[in-house]
Each structure stands twice: as C-alpha cells, then as structure tokens.
C-alpha cells in the first residue's frame, strides 16, 4: 500500500512545465483569416503570441496573434528535394536540402544566418526541438540529429525504413520517430533506443509524446496511447469512441491529452483515460493545431487558412457539480470508487481547491475551552448538568473522537469514564455511517498530492483551528509531511 501511495504521488505531482514560459495576457478567443491557402505547417512561438506559418511553396509569414496582424512575409527557395521547419522562437526557418549543409534563414528578412556543416541525407521530415538547440531530419532509412550549438551532426543507428514523422520531448532529451511499422523512442543523451512500439501499417498523420516522456500517442483509425516505464512498455489504451482523429497533443500539465477531430476537440485524463468536460465544437475542419505552452489556448487552422483560437480552460475545469459528487465519493466504502474520485479531483486542481474548502470548515479555538468545561461537567454532582454536558459533546460529531480517545487514557472517575465511553461508541457509530474518517484521510492526501501554493495555504488555515478537532490534527500532520512530498517531487524531476 505504501509503494502504491508513493507511485501515485510521483505521478500526480510531476512538475508542471507551464511556469515562466509565457508572459502577458492570454490570447483573445476568436477567428480570423490568414489569407494563406495550401498551408504546409505552423509553429507557435515560445512567447505564446507570435505564429509562424509556411505554405507548400515555402512562403513564410509571421503573425502577431494578440493584434491579429501580419508582421512579415518572405519567400524562400523551393527546390523539390528540400524541407523547411519553423523555429520555436519565431525568428528563424531551418532549411534542409539533400546533399547540402543545414541552412538557417531569418524569418523576417529571408537572409541566411548560418550554415551547419554536414550533408543532409534523403529527407522526408524535419523537426526542431522545443528549446531550438537541435534539429531532426529523417528520410527513407536514416535520422540525423543536428546540434546547432556545437555545430555537429550525428545519425541514429538502426532506425528502420521510411521515417515519416519525428517529435521531441519538452526538455529535448527524448525523440519519438514513426516509420511504416513502428514507433521508436530514442534517448538522445545516451544515443540509443529506449523503446520500440510495433504498430499496424495504417495512415497516421500525428504522433505525440508527453512533456516528460512518460506517454506516447499516435492517430490512425483510432487514437492510441502507450505508457512508458523504465523497464518495460505498458499495454496500449485505445480511445475507441474517437474515430479518425486528425491531431493528438499533450498539455503541459503532464496529466491531460487532447484528441482533435475535424470539427471537434475532446480532452482526456492520462491516469483514468476518461474524458474531461464536454466536447468542444470548433465550427470548421481543423488541419493543423498547436497548444499554447500554458495549456490554456488551442490554435487551429483549416485548409483555407482560417485560424481559430479556442479556450481550453473551461474544458479542463469541468463543472463544479461534478467535483462535488467526487467529494461525496471520497467517503465511499468502495475503495475503487474513492480512488477514482481522488484522481478526478487531482486532474482539475484549480476547481478542486474551490470545492474542498466549503466542506472543511476551520474549527474556532474557542471551542477548546467549551470542550474542557463540558468534560469537567460530566463529573458534576447535578444529574441535569451531566446529561446536558453529554448532549453538547455528542453534538460536536465524529470530529471529537480523537480527543475523547485521548482523555480516556487519563485517570478518571467511574462516572466520567462511563459517559465518555458511551459518547465514543455513539460517535464511532455515526462516523461509520458517514465514513468521515476515510474521507478526511483521503482529502488530506489529495491536498498533499496537489502540491500547489493554494493547497498548502488551505492546510495552514485548517491547522490554526481548535486542537480538539480531527480536521486540525490531520492538517498539522499533512503539513509535517509536506517537505517529504517535496523531496519526492525532486526525485521525480531527476527521473
């Protein structure tokens, strides 16, 4: 059980790549025309504001999505044996031509900036790493990795035949390539294969890898997802309800992936493989798609050059009523149902932190004095006072159980001990009906696994309550565990 908890913590608290990536306000939702048919590729810059688009004739345009204005337009050479790729900074275009060195052009002036020595082999796909330091060129039987900083090129061994697509992880360590019969995950740091996934020979236009390299996905007749572990490849999961998806993307939160059809988008949870929120209707046939590095905007373009910007936060958040149901399921006797409810809350932390606080009220410290007074009145000579004190203690509910158990360990008169045992029995009976003890334990685990500043602030607020409250005691215990959970996060980052 302890190993399962540690594994769940590592999966749920993996670092988010959304911090310090974009600046400024989010892009306004809406649609406008790029006036650029025959689009071949698009790339959203790291600043989340500028977009590079290229046509089949190697015409490259740079757009400001915030102002919806075209900043520049250049025409690059267009030989039949050449391919281009757009840089993540939105400033450069990588130009690859067979038997020639890799060239880098300025996206605004079309002037050649640099040449990387080497000879490009037969090329079918080209991809730039998210940090812009590496370029991958793949052809019929080889994949070349170009290091732009060191100005060197090297080839991956045993690549297979007909490399069609390639994509990097967010940190640039892993590379995923797709050939006609297999997906190969490469560890670029060690320059060797990490995993090989044999797939059916069918048309596939999109492959994706999660930011930390834990999941791999591809489209085809259906959307397929694989989980990668250190020692083996986990079984694939197929989203059978989504037929013929156009694009597949992972969001930066490491827990969500989205499947794009021609006219709709659906978010899925990586841990439960269940849909998140309702399907988002796009209103046009999507051909190319990019997700902002914050994960809050989806940019889609159709074949006519019509661009649409859509808000993903509403889909990720879902409905408050749904999470309130998950809160109730945390108290379920069925452990499987409670486990699923916990992951549903973790998959939407921003909304969950709004749902949980109303259910856990801070117990005022003034209650401690009243509790002490009522326990003392259990030994009073007056029968009426003893009965009144007992009723008042019972009204406090199961939250009082830890304190009653502690008091029973002390030296008491026979009358006080008898009444406290009766109170404890009745409170335990009520607690079993509500399953309150398990619910509190599970919700504290959820708050710990969230690992957000809001969750820690809420735990601190609960810990300032009355000492006699079980909520206060559990919140203090959770805060004591917080540094250990942070160490687990650091270990997850190293892995």
């Amino acid at each position: 059980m302890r190993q399962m908890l540690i594994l769940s913590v590592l999966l749920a608290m993996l670092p988010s790549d959304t911090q310090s990536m974009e600046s400024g306000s989010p892009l306004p939702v809406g649609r406008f025309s790029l006036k650029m048919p025959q689009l071949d590729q698009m790339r959203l810059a790291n600043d989340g504001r500028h977009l590079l688009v290229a046509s089949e004739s190697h015409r490259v345009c740079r757009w400001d999505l915030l102002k919806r204005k075209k900043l520049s337009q250049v025409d690059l050479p267009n030989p039949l044996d050449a391919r281009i790729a757009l840089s993540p900074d939105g400033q450069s275009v990588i130009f690859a031509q067979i038997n020639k060195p890799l060239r880098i052009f300025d996206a605004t002036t079309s002037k050649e900036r640099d040449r990387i020595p080497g000879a490009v082999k037969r090329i079918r796909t080209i991809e730039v790493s998210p940090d812009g330091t590496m370029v991958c060129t793949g052809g019929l039987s080889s994949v070349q990795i170009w290091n732009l900083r060191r100005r060197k090129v090297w080839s991956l061994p045993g690549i297979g035949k007909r490399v069609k697509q390639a994509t990097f992880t967010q940190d640039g360590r892993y590379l995923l390539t797709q050939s006609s019969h297999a997906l190969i995950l490469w560890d670029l740091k060690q320059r060797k294969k990490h995993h090989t996934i044999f797939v059916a020979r069918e048309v596939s236009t999109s492959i994706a890898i999660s930011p930390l390299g834990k999941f791999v996905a591809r489209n085809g007749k259906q959307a397929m997802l694989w989980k990668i572990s250190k020692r083996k490849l986990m079984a694939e999961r197929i989203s059978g309800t989504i037929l013929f998806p156009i694009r597949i993307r992972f969001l930066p939160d490491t827990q969500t992936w989205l499947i794009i059809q021609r006219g709709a988008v659906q978010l899925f949870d990586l841990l439960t493989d269940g849909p998140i929120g309702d399907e988002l209707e796009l209103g046009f046939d999507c051909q190319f798609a990019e997700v902002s590095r914050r994960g809050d905007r989806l940019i889609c373009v159709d074949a006519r050059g019509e661009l649409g910007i859509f808000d993903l936060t509403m889909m990720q958040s879902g409905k408050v009523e749904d999470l309130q149901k998950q809160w109730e399921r945390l108290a379920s006797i069925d452990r499987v149902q409670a486990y699923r409810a916990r992951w549903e809350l973790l998959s939407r932390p921003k909304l969950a932190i709004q749902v949980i606080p109303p259910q856990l009220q801070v117990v005022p410290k003034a209650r401690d004095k009243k509790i002490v007074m009522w326990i003392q009145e259990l030994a009073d000579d007056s029968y009426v006072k003893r009965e009144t004190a007992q009723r008042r203690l019972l009204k406090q509910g199961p939250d009082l159980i830890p304190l009653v158990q502690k008091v029973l360990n002390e030296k008491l008169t026979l009358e006080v001990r008898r009444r406290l045992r009766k109170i404890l029995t009745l409170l335990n009976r009520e607690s079993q009906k509500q399953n309150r003890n398990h619910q509190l334990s599970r919700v504290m685990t959820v708050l710990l696994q969230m690992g957000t500043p809001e969750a820690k602030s809420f735990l601190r607020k609960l810990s300032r309550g009355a000492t006699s409250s079980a909520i206060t005691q559990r919140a203090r215990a959770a805060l004591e565990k917080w540094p250990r959970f942070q160490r687990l996060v650091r270990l997850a980052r190293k892995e």
Side-chain angles (χ1 to χ4, degrees), residues 56-80:
E56 295 177 358
S57 61
H58 290 185
R59 172 170 288 181
V60 179
C61 297
R62 188 166 181 262
W63 283 81
D64 186 334
L65 296 182
L66 197 60
K67 296 181 179 179
R68 300 187 180 184
K69 180 182 178 182
K70 185 193 291 186
L71 302 178
S72 63
Q73 176 179 308
V74 296
D75 292 313
L76 298 178
N78 187 24
L80 296 175

Side-chain angles (χ1 to χ4, degrees), residues 263-283:
V265 177
Q266 180 65 65
L267 287 176
F268 287 87
D269 191 296
L270 284 171
L271 302 172
T272 63
D273 204 27
I276 299 175
D278 299 326
E279 192 177 70
L280 174 64
E281 295 292 335
L282 299 179

Side-chain angles (χ1 to χ4, degrees), residues 215 223-227 234-240 257 269-274:
F215 294 90
M224 287 167 284
L225 177 73
W226 292 268
K227 183 179 178 181
M234 309 299 286
E236 69 179 13
R237 287 182 280 174
I238 301 176
S239 297
W257 66 309
D269 191 296
L270 284 171
L271 302 172
T272 63
D273 204 27

